[in-house]
Amino acid sequence: MEFALDRWITKHNAWIDVFGPNYMRWIFRDVKMTILFLGQFLFGKVLQVFKAGVLLGAVSCILFVPGLKAENSRPFVIPALQEWKGGDGYWRSSCRLVLDPRYAAELNPVANTFAEDLAVMFGRKYKVAEGVSACSGDIFLTLAGKETEENREKYYLDVSDRMVLTGATTQAVFWGTRTILQMMEQYDGAVPQGVAVDWPNYPKRGFMLDVGRKFVPIGFLRDYVKIMSYYKMNCFQIHLNDNGFKKFYGNDWSQTPAAFRLESTVFPGLATEGAHYSKKEFVELQMLAEQYGVTVLPEIDVPAHSLAFTRYKPEIASKEYGEDHLDLFNPETYLFLDSLFAEYLGGENPVFRGKEVHIGTDEYDNSDPNVVEKFRFFTDYYIKYVEGFGKKAVAWGALTHARGDLPVKSDEVLLDIWYNGYADPFEMAELGFGLVNVACSQLYIIPLTALYYHDYLNIEWIFNNWEPYMFDDRIFSRNDRRVKGGMFAVWNDYIGNGITFKDIHHRAYPAMQTLSLKMWTGAVDDLSFARFDSCRRALSEAPEVNIGAKVKTMDGKVLQVSKLKRNQKLLIEEVGYDYEVAFDFTAKSADKGSVLFKSSNAILYQSSPKSGKLAFWSDGYLNEFDYMFPIGQRVQIVIKGDHTSTSLYIDGKLHQTLDKKILYKIGEEVVYYQSTLVFPLAFTGNFSGQLLNLKVLQK
């Protein structure tokens, strides 16, 4: 039966091509699968009739004809496919991407990125071809249909002996390539045959990272663009300025850390020295994001959280509400901010390349009604100022907290709704704002928090209970178009607490995977959290990205080297949590700063630059063990590391665990410090002594 249907479809290919080859093949494949399913159903009824009779054996043989094979179940990908109709068998690659010649110019960038990712993940070079017919094993990319708001990200994937990937836009086709990569990763390069239709429930699927309080390297941001893309998250909000809380610094603004992280040539010295992004780096980050279907949303947070600006220009600080508040009544405030925004928004090639810019407007004091009206003026002013450069404005929801008379422009403006007391989502929707759900009670990460929000998001609760239309106790209908999507956030409230960018990733990555599913697909009837959690761990972070330094092995044995030389290159860069690194070391007298192992991200010191003790450095933090190597005595060292601590064993006995400790305490609020290390293994260092029997394990 299946063979006869295939022959009929092949015979009518010319007719199919007249009406649009991919959509029509989609329709005919649906017809084919429907007929097959009906056939299986009817044979099943026949089987029930004959089960008691002598013809059971004959009927059983009939049931095993080709075309009556069980359909492939829906492949696991993140986010889950919206629709899947399984075929039988598997597609296997010919290492060729074929472009529809009518759309080759538009599809070439997608195909080239796809080919690069395939080569990285599977070690095989893929040829991008056009003007040829797609054959068995090929992946055919094409465009079909007119772009609308509903189908902008919707794609169709038909997998038989070849793949046909179709969308109305290049963005839709690109998302389909992410699905194919995830399928191939899990099926060892093969893909189960079947037909998928996939689209997002919400257009805005985001992640916000506070780099104002915790600087992270540009390489981390670039890697996160690729991670977000791999999981179809499309908005990367970068919170560029902020400051600490003065209560942790003796209530002294002059001692409170503050930073702005983007180079300014209009205001030289405004960006934090040695810990900011150049304009060139930031532009290149946005260009990479565009290549991968992600929008970088830059945020300059004013008029609160603005200590970095008032420290640069003290006369614009509020006298009443603190130096982290701008003076809304001072004309100099507006002149300064006008120039700052214009620096990044003006010119033929602006530094802020995307369609949207975030203007902050979070947590300004509302005790004086006159100040509230001025805050509303300020908000409206900068919404329109940004729009004057052809951009759309995004702001933190604050207009319930700052309820007043002066109107604030709402049309084509997005609000990040983080707390209903600051901006009631029902009220904001009625005013005409688009809403992005960033509910702090569910979606805020504060690394090492002890009092409020989350150290790690409760991804099981989110998986089972949350979707973007749920703003705590304010629940919209599932399809309310005023709800544009959702976003989770990492706020680095506690400055100097030992948290590295590796630790940020350890918190953000599982949240990213979970919220990707909930923002794109929503609830999935046949997917339990237990299965999701198990399967998500098997996926890569993204092509050529491994921030967590997971090493795939069959038995957990990562590396073993019997004798090591100084400055020797090893086989891997680093090993992440949870690991065990063992080696024998006989020390000679060493200068402070002598290195045992190093990578681009961390150092294990034989002799700390500070004290001469065994120590490690990671992301600006130096952590020392209370141990110095005895000269001329061979010792076995074992270092075990997880996401909360690093432990040292000497000759089989636990010597010390560098665990979470109290940094300071203000009232009920406790600020912790932790000592964690993703172990460096790219090179040995300039150690003094003999280094033997390196063994590395990872759970």
Side-chain angles (χ1 to χ4, degrees):
M1 179 164 51
E2 183 175 17
F3 178 68
L5 287 168
D6 284 336
R7 287 183 60 190
W8 187 89
I9 291 172
T10 301
K11 181 178 178 181
H12 292 83
N13 265 342
W15 180 40
I16 294 171
D17 285 339
V18 170
F19 291 95
N22 299 295
Y23 283 142
M24 294 303 293
R25 286 193 182 95
W26 173 273
I27 292 168
F28 282 109
R29 185 174 176 88
D30 267 5
V31 171
K32 168 186 166 181
M33 296 306 296
T34 302
I35 293 171
L36 290 176
F37 294 155
L38 287 172
Q40 292 180 62
F41 174 78
L42 292 173
F43 274 119
K45 291 300 182 184
V46 171
L47 177 59
Q48 290 178 16
V49 172
F50 282 96
K51 266 187 177 179
V54 294
L55 295 178
L56 177 60
V59 173
S60 297
C61 291
I62 292 172
L63 292 174
F64 284 99
V65 298
L68 298 182
K69 297 177 183 177
E71 65 177 275
N72 291 323
S73 59
R74 174 165 52 182
F76 179 86
V77 293
I78 301 176
L81 297 171
Q82 295 278 13
E83 293 182 3
W84 170 260
K85 186 171 288 187
D88 60 73
Y90 290 83
W91 168 92
R92 286 176 172 80
S93 176
S94 66
C95 292
R96 191 170 71 157
L97 307 178
V98 178
L99 306 186
D100 187 327
R102 294 171 296 175
Y103 311 110
E106 298 100 311
L107 289 169
N108 250 307
V110 173
N112 289 333
T113 300
F114 189 25
E116 291 169 7
D117 292 339
L118 286 163
V120 165
M121 293 187 74
F122 306 109
R124 301 171 69 186
K125 185 175 181 180
Y126 277 69
K127 180 181 178 181
V128 178
E130 56 184 272
V132 298
S133 298
C135 300
S136 180
D138 289 348
I139 303 174
F140 181 73
L141 309 182
T142 186
L143 298 172
K146 185 178 180 180
E147 178 182 349
T148 65
E149 185 177 347
E150 287 73 22
N151 71 7
R152 188 168 293 128
E153 298 181 272
K154 186 176 187 178
Y155 66 91
Y156 302 80
L157 179 62
D158 187 347
V159 186
S160 56
D161 67 323
R162 69 209 68 189
M163 284 197 214
V164 178
L165 175 57
T166 307
T169 67
T170 56
Q171 177 65 80
V173 174
F174 184 83
W175 288 146
T177 69
R178 305 302 92 181
T179 295
I180 294 169
L181 287 170
Q182 287 192 23
M183 288 180 178
M184 291 178 68
E185 180 183 353
Q186 295 175 88
Y187 289 90
D188 195 26
V191 171
Q193 294 189 13
V195 178
V197 191
D198 202 19
W199 66 91
N201 290 341
Y202 296 92
K204 183 78 67 175
R205 306 174 301 278
F207 168 51
M208 191 228 75
L209 180 59
D210 169 14
V211 302
R213 296 189 182 108
K214 163 66 183 171
F215 181 70
V216 300
I218 193 70
F220 180 88
L221 300 182
R222 293 177 67 87
D223 282 346
Y224 251 79
V225 161
K226 294 183 179 181
I227 292 172
M228 292 181 69
S229 175
Y230 202 50
Y231 294 102
K232 302 186 181 75
M233 299 280 276
N234 63 357
C235 180
F236 190 7
Q237 182 171 325
I238 300 177
H239 183 80
L240 287 166
N241 66 283
D242 217 314
N243 45 266
F245 301 104
K246 74 169 183 174
K247 64 183 178 180
F248 296 137
Y249 304 95
N251 282 312
D252 185 349
W253 285 119
S254 68
Q255 299 301 312
T256 303
F260 178 62
R261 303 299 187 183
L262 186 57
E263 174 191 10
S264 173
T265 50
V266 173
F267 301 106
L270 177 62
T272 305
E273 185 177 358
H276 69 269
Y277 313 114
S278 70
K279 290 181 180 179
K280 181 175 183 293
E281 286 176 324
F282 203 73
V283 166
E284 289 173 349
L285 172 69
Q286 294 167 88
M287 293 173 68
L288 178 72
E290 291 161 11
Q291 178 186 345
Y292 278 87
V294 177
T295 297
V296 171
L297 176 59
E299 178 191 351
I300 297 176
D301 196 2
V302 288
H305 301 275
S306 299
L307 183 59
F309 302 140
T310 64
R311 186 163 289 165
Y312 183 85
K313 196 174 180 63
E315 61 269 29
I316 65 175
S318 170
K319 305 299 187 293
E320 291 79 17
Y321 305 117
E323 292 179 23
D324 64 338
H325 281 51
L326 299 177
D327 183 350
L328 301 181
F329 295 88
N330 186 347
E332 288 295 320
T333 298
Y334 298 85
L335 291 175
F336 173 80
L337 291 180
D338 286 0
S339 297
L340 187 66
F341 276 108
E343 178 176 4
Y344 305 122
L345 295 172
E348 293 184 5
N349 297 298
V351 176
F352 291 170
R353 293 172 55 90
K355 296 178 181 179
E356 298 174 342
V357 174
H358 203 297
I359 61 170
T361 72
D362 185 25
E363 296 187 303
Y364 201 90
D365 191 282
N366 72 338
S367 56
D368 183 338
N370 293 324
V371 174
V372 166
E373 293 300 331
K374 198 64 176 177
F375 173 84
R376 295 175 67 87
F377 169 84
F378 178 97
T379 303
D380 183 69
Y381 178 91
Y382 279 104
I383 287 171
K384 294 171 180 174
Y385 188 77
V386 163
E387 290 178 341
F389 291 91
K391 308 291 186 180
K392 293 182 179 181
V394 186
W396 291 106
L399 295 178
T400 299
H401 176 75
R403 185 179 278 112
D405 297 325
L406 195 147
V408 176
K409 185 180 186 298
S410 60
D411 184 45
E412 296 292 310
V413 178
L414 284 181
L415 292 185
D416 290 338
I417 304 296
W418 68 279
Y419 175 55
N420 294 349
Y422 263 76
D424 183 286
F426 288 163
E427 180 185 344
M428 297 303 108
E430 287 301 312
L431 289 172
F433 291 101
L435 310 182
V436 178
N437 189 337
V438 204
C440 59
S441 61
Q442 297 150 359
L443 303 176
Y444 271 19
I445 295 172
I446 314 286
L448 289 186
T449 187
L451 188 63
Y452 60 101
Y453 305 140
H454 303 274
D455 187 12
Y456 286 78
L457 293 189
N458 185 342
I459 62 171
E460 183 172 4
W461 186 92
I462 290 170
F463 180 93
N464 289 321
N465 298 285
W466 183 87
E467 288 190 37
Y469 65 90
M470 303 171 179
F471 296 78
D472 289 326
D473 61 340
R474 306 293 199 272
I475 310 297
F476 288 73
S477 65
R478 187 183 297 270
N479 299 315
D480 195 316
R481 288 177 175 270
R482 297 174 298 180
V483 179
K484 303 303 181 183
M487 179 172 68
F488 75 103
V490 172
W491 294 101
N492 294 298
D493 285 13
Y494 301 127
I495 298 171
N497 62 351
I499 289 288
T500 69
F501 65 83
K502 298 282 188 179
D503 296 318
I504 291 172
H505 171 69
H506 198 265
R507 288 157 170 79
Y509 180 55
M512 182 80 67
Q513 292 176 304
T514 308
L515 286 160
S516 161
L517 170 71
K518 301 301 290 187
M519 295 180 196
W520 179 285
T521 320
V524 182
D525 292 338
D526 60 351
L527 182 63
S528 68
F529 176 75
R531 179 167 177 255
F532 170 79
D533 195 45
S534 174
C535 293
R536 74 166 183 86
R537 296 171 187 271
L539 285 173
S540 298
E541 294 173 9
E544 210 170 14
V545 178
N546 188 13
I547 300 173
K550 291 295 183 182
V551 184
K552 293 183 178 180
T553 64
M554 293 297 292
D555 56 4
K557 296 178 181 177
V558 173
L559 186 65
Q560 186 166 339
V561 183
S562 59
K563 188 174 182 179
L564 298 105
K565 301 176 182 178
R566 288 159 54 100
N567 302 312
Q568 177 180 342
K569 181 176 174 57
L570 302 175
L571 295 177
I572 60 174
E573 174 76 10
E574 52 195 358
V575 62
Y577 319 132
D578 299 323
Y579 64 80
E580 178 179 313
V581 176
F583 55 90
D584 296 336
F585 189 63
T586 306
K588 294 181 180 179
S589 180
D591 295 333
K592 288 182 179 179
S594 296
V595 172
L596 285 165
F597 297 99
K598 60 185 177 180
S599 70
S600 58
N601 298 312
I603 299 170
L604 181 70
Y605 286 106
Q606 171 187 352
S607 177
S608 166
K610 182 178 177 182
S611 67
K613 296 179 180 180
L614 177 63
F616 59 89
W617 175 93
S618 180
D619 199 14
Y621 296 104
L622 180 68
N623 296 277
E624 297 183 327
F625 291 107
D626 187 18
Y627 180 77
M628 298 183 73
F629 285 106
I631 304 302
Q633 179 182 333
R634 179 167 169 168
V635 293
Q636 187 200 47
I637 299 293
V638 175
I639 296 176
K640 297 182 180 181
D642 61 29
H643 69 282
T644 64
S645 63
T646 309
S647 297
L648 171 65
Y649 293 77
I650 307 294
D651 292 331
K653 295 182 179 180
L654 177 62
H655 178 79
Q656 186 182 10
T657 295
L658 298 180
D659 209 343
K660 187 169 69 172
K661 63 183 181 182
I662 294 176
L663 190 60
Y664 39 79
K665 185 176 181 180
I666 306 292
E668 295 183 359
E669 190 163 4
V670 180
V671 177
Y672 290 102
Y673 179 95
Q674 74 173 30
S675 303
T676 51
L677 174 68
V678 169
F679 199 94
L681 285 166
F683 296 90
T684 60
N686 60 340
F687 61 86
S688 180
Q690 186 180 51
L691 184 58
L692 304 170
N693 300 327
L694 173 66
K695 296 179 183 178
V696 181
L697 304 175
Q698 184 182 53
K699 292 182 182 179

